[in-house]
Amino acid sequence: MIDVLIIGSGGAGLTAALNAKKEGAKVLVVSKTYPTHSQTCQAQGGINAVLKETENDSIQKYIEDTYKASHKLGNKEYINYFCSNSENTISWLDSIGVPFSKNIKDNISQRKFGGTKAKRTCYSSDYTGLKILHTLYDQCLKENIEFYNEYQLLNLIIENNKAIGITALDIETSQVKQIKAKTIILATGGYAGLYYGFTTNSYSSTGDGIASALNAGAKISNMEFMQFHPTALENKNILISESARGEGGYLVDNQGNRFIDELKPRDEVARAIYKKYEEGEKVYLDLRHLGLDKINEAMPQERRLVQEFMQLKMEKDLIPINPSAHYSMGGIITDIEAKSSIENLYACGECSQSGIHGANRLGGNSLLEIVTFGKIAGENAAKKAKKVKIIENTDSEQFLIDKNYIEGIFTKDSEIDFYKRKKELGKLLFKNVGLFREEKSMKNSLEKILEWKKELNLIGLNDKSKIFNKNLTDLIEYKNMIELAHTILISALNRQESRGAHFRIDFKDELENYDKNSILFLENDSIHIKLEEIQ
């Protein structure tokens, strides 16, 4: 019997797995891709912490920066724990072998990111997420943790309001499998992939875990807050991380003029750049003054990406950039123990709304979040599993429903080209629920999404092969994307103010009566929304 079942093998899932195993649990990690392909590997810039050696900084300053960035939607107790524990988190990563960059005193190097008072972002050149991920995976292999790779989550199995397992598609065979467990952790990543064609994320970031949690009856929260990263390579949506500005890079317009403090919070910088584009100008990242040696030391990956995809050199050329959907602050609402609103179901990482980021995330806080709350989720899920009785492995109703659905879909031809719809969805969201928003265009977008939702039953498969059927896995993701697009639009329409990443041109002020979290839940097959006080 599985004690702790973890869905997702990015940094949050792997940290949870290691800590659940440490508590003596039998752990299984299920993922639709391989651990080394997860979104965590794309995090370049760094991970925040106040270390003993950090100069001109304090835990209190870190707490203040994080809370300020959240625009009053962060939970003060959770932020306090998150920041106060940051040195322990880095020490643990250091102890298991993450190769952090070091300064001449042999201390972990730190750089300054936007919206912060000090140089507190620890890094491993510009491969920080990748190095953390690979180290965590090495540790999981060392601990003989079991993995089912290329299994796509379909649904949670809920009985008597308790999570007791999942259904998943074995991507290799197209067979539906049922996996039961005493406790379950969702670590499935965010939903920036909905902004298809306008995102720095991989196309697999489709919010599958959040959609499954919503459908199972869990509360999800703050779906309107999508963070747009200021610097993606123009028309390529390849991330050039905040490390470029943190190391001293400038943002300049057509005339070569700097027009904003590059280290302001991401939402402000991204909107300033987007405005320039709307006025017919272009914006460039200027790193020429840093010199080749500095660029090679601090940003070798980014230099290579610029050279390969733009045929430009950072040390000689201006780099054209544009904002791109990057990080989703909303997700499954969790408490300080990483518990969701469903018993025995936990969530961590970008699929959760853990009370840290609120309306805007500080750069460097997402990697800290996945490790901090991955550890909490793993430990607590393992402890809870010890109190849960063995679950009978009989076929659940959810398993039979999903098995029949997948078998049925192979007999159905498609009347709708959902690949075309996916492109239209990305464009619609970026244009109408992007950096600037207003009621009329969002209402029109919501109508369109509801039309597309009705069409879902008309969609079948053009490819009837059972072996590694990409057409099938893409369709499952598309259904989740439409479900979550619905929640984004409802939330953005409901929040009649501007706050952090959510900026409405028809309600430009931040209003006190919206100092609340948006909460969404499914009831009688309809999505409902309400605002709740910050706990």
Side-chain angles (χ1 to χ4, degrees):
M1 181 84 210
I2 304 297
D3 294 318
V4 180
L5 173 62
I6 298 165
I7 320 300
S9 59
L14 298 184
T15 304
L18 285 169
N19 284 280
K21 184 74 188 281
K22 195 176 170 187
E23 290 290 328
K26 181 174 170 50
V27 177
L28 171 64
V29 181
V30 172
S31 177
K32 73 176 175 182
T33 180
Y34 281 81
T36 48
H37 295 179
S38 79
Q39 187 63 37
T40 304
C41 72
Q42 295 189 33
Q44 299 167 345
I47 174 169
N48 291 338
V50 178
L51 310 177
K52 289 185 185 67
E53 310 80 35
T54 309
E55 295 178 355
N56 304 315
D57 203 8
S58 67
I59 297 293
Q60 189 56 39
K61 286 180 184 174
Y62 187 16
I63 291 169
E64 288 169 6
D65 286 343
T66 300
Y67 184 70
K68 184 180 176 188
S70 81
H71 287 258
K72 301 180 188 172
L73 297 193
N75 180 301
K76 287 181 179 175
E77 178 194 347
Y78 300 179
I79 289 174
N80 184 51
Y81 175 83
F82 174 75
C83 299
S84 302
N85 199 51
S86 60
E87 181 162 29
N88 292 337
T89 304
I90 298 298
S91 295
W92 180 70
L93 290 173
D94 195 31
S95 72
I96 63 171
V98 173
F100 286 110
S101 297
K102 299 286 180 72
N103 60 26
I104 54 173
K105 296 179 182 173
D106 204 31
N107 296 323
I108 292 173
S109 297
Q110 292 178 285
R111 53 171 59 123
K112 193 172 188 295
F113 267 16
T116 63
K117 293 185 177 72
K119 288 185 178 182
R120 71 168 69 103
T121 307
C122 310
Y123 59 91
S124 183
S125 185
D126 59 353
Y127 291 97
T128 314
L130 183 142
K131 299 292 184 186
I132 290 173
L133 184 73
H134 283 208
T135 306
L136 290 170
Y137 187 41
D138 284 347
Q139 293 295 317
C140 286
L141 295 177
K142 184 179 163 190
E143 295 296 330
N144 293 316
I145 288 170
E146 192 175 9
F147 284 81
Y148 285 3
N149 298 315
E150 298 189 315
Y151 270 57
Q152 188 165 19
L153 174 65
L154 295 174
N155 283 293
L156 291 160
I157 301 171
I158 307 292
E159 284 185 9
N160 300 319
N161 298 317
K162 295 177 183 174
I164 61 164
I166 64 160
T167 59
L169 181 79
D170 179 343
I171 294 173
E172 181 180 353
T173 63
S174 295
Q175 298 295 307
V176 175
K177 304 286 177 65
Q178 170 181 272
I179 306 170
K180 289 190 174 177
K182 293 179 179 176
T183 58
I184 296 149
I185 299 174
L186 291 173
T188 48
Y191 51 91
L194 270 67
Y195 288 69
Y196 190 84
F198 299 88
T199 177
T200 61
N201 281 210
S202 69
Y203 290 143
S204 62
S205 298
T206 47
D208 304 337
I210 302 170
S212 74
L214 175 69
N215 290 330
K219 290 179 179 177
I220 66 173
S221 173
N222 289 354
M223 296 296 287
E224 64 272 40
F225 295 113
M226 172 61 61
Q227 184 171 74
F228 294 86
H229 199 287
T231 56
L233 294 182
E234 187 186 44
N235 299 326
K236 307 286 185 191
N237 292 303
I238 295 170
L239 177 68
I240 298 297
S241 91
E242 202 157 318
S243 59
R245 285 170 288 135
E247 295 291 349
Y250 300 149
L251 292 170
V252 298
D253 60 18
N254 283 347
Q255 290 73 44
N257 298 319
R258 294 172 69 185
F259 56 93
I260 187 165
D261 175 355
E262 289 83 359
L263 292 181
K264 279 195 162 215
R266 284 183 180 175
D267 59 320
E268 293 182 47
V269 179
R271 280 196 295 272
I273 294 170
Y274 192 71
K275 262 188 173 178
K276 288 280 183 188
Y277 270 85
E278 285 194 318
E279 291 163 2
E281 287 204 49
K282 290 178 69 165
V283 176
Y284 303 88
L285 185 60
D286 186 357
L287 300 162
R288 295 173 297 177
H289 53 286
L290 298 183
L292 182 58
D293 289 346
K294 177 69 177 173
I295 289 170
N296 274 336
E297 178 202 339
M299 295 166 270
Q301 177 184 201
E302 289 151 289
R303 182 176 183 273
R304 179 179 60 77
L305 291 171
V306 168
Q307 202 158 353
E308 286 184 9
F309 288 91
M310 306 296 281
Q311 287 76 52
L312 296 171
K313 291 185 177 178
M314 278 183 158
E315 66 277 15
K316 290 183 178 174
D317 301 306
L318 290 172
I319 315 301
I321 50 90
N322 56 230
S324 188
H326 179 62
Y327 185 89
S328 41
M329 269 80 75
I332 304 156
I333 193 159
T334 52
D335 64 13
I336 191 66
E337 295 182 338
K339 290 193 293 189
S340 76
S341 57
I342 294 179
E343 193 168 346
N344 299 341
L345 179 66
Y346 297 75
C348 55
E350 197 175 345
C351 74
S352 67
Q353 199 282 83
S354 61
I356 301 299
H357 310 306
N360 191 29
R361 176 183 66 88
L362 285 180
N365 267 359
S366 61
L367 286 179
L368 185 64
E369 183 197 15
I370 62 175
V371 181
T372 304
F373 288 97
K375 179 174 186 287
I376 291 172
E379 288 175 349
N380 288 330
K383 286 173 185 169
K384 181 65 190 291
K386 291 174 184 170
K387 301 173 187 171
V388 176
K389 292 179 183 173
I390 290 176
I391 297 161
E392 289 184 14
N393 198 26
T394 51
D395 289 351
S396 66
E397 186 182 351
Q398 189 66 60
F399 170 65
L400 297 174
I401 290 170
D402 291 346
K403 189 167 174 280
N404 287 335
Y405 169 74
I406 294 296
E407 286 173 356
I409 207 160
F410 276 98
T411 66
K412 196 175 185 180
D413 290 325
S414 192
E415 297 176 36
I416 305 290
D417 180 356
F418 71 87
Y419 290 102
K420 183 181 165 197
R421 287 280 183 272
K422 198 189 274 192
K423 288 181 184 171
E424 291 173 331
L425 173 67
K427 195 172 177 182
L428 177 147
L429 290 177
F430 186 71
K431 185 178 175 191
N432 297 333
V433 206
L435 292 102
F436 296 94
R437 306 164 175 190
E438 57 89 23
E439 183 168 297
K440 186 179 175 186
S441 59
M442 286 199 290
K443 279 190 170 174
N444 290 339
S445 300
L446 180 58
E447 282 181 23
K448 185 61 76 179
I449 294 296
L450 293 175
E451 276 177 32
W452 292 346
K453 210 168 174 177
K454 285 180 189 167
E455 289 177 352
L456 291 175
N457 289 331
L458 303 175
I459 301 176
L461 299 176
N462 293 322
D463 179 359
K464 306 295 186 188
S465 166
K466 293 284 180 75
I467 308 299
F468 287 111
N469 189 326
K470 188 77 168 54
N471 195 197
L472 174 58
T473 56
D474 288 344
L475 173 56
I476 294 166
E477 286 181 345
Y478 174 71
K479 289 186 171 188
N480 289 332
M481 292 168 83
I482 290 295
E483 182 81 347
L484 294 190
H486 188 181
T487 66
I488 292 172
L489 275 156
I490 291 174
S491 305
L493 278 163
N494 190 59
R495 189 173 286 280
Q496 296 185 344
E497 62 155 358
S498 290
R499 185 182 296 259
H502 172 73
F503 190 90
R504 289 192 55 163
I505 57 177
D506 47 354
F507 297 98
K508 292 184 178 175
D509 297 324
E510 186 171 308
L511 303 176
E512 194 175 338
N513 56 334
Y514 283 96
D515 289 352
K516 296 173 183 173
N517 286 324
S518 304
I519 303 290
L520 297 107
F521 54 97
L522 200 62
E523 195 171 88
N524 300 323
D525 292 328
S526 294
I527 299 171
H528 297 263
I529 186 166
K530 62 180 179 178
L531 294 171
E532 276 188 1
E533 299 287 344
I534 311 298
Q535 298 296 313

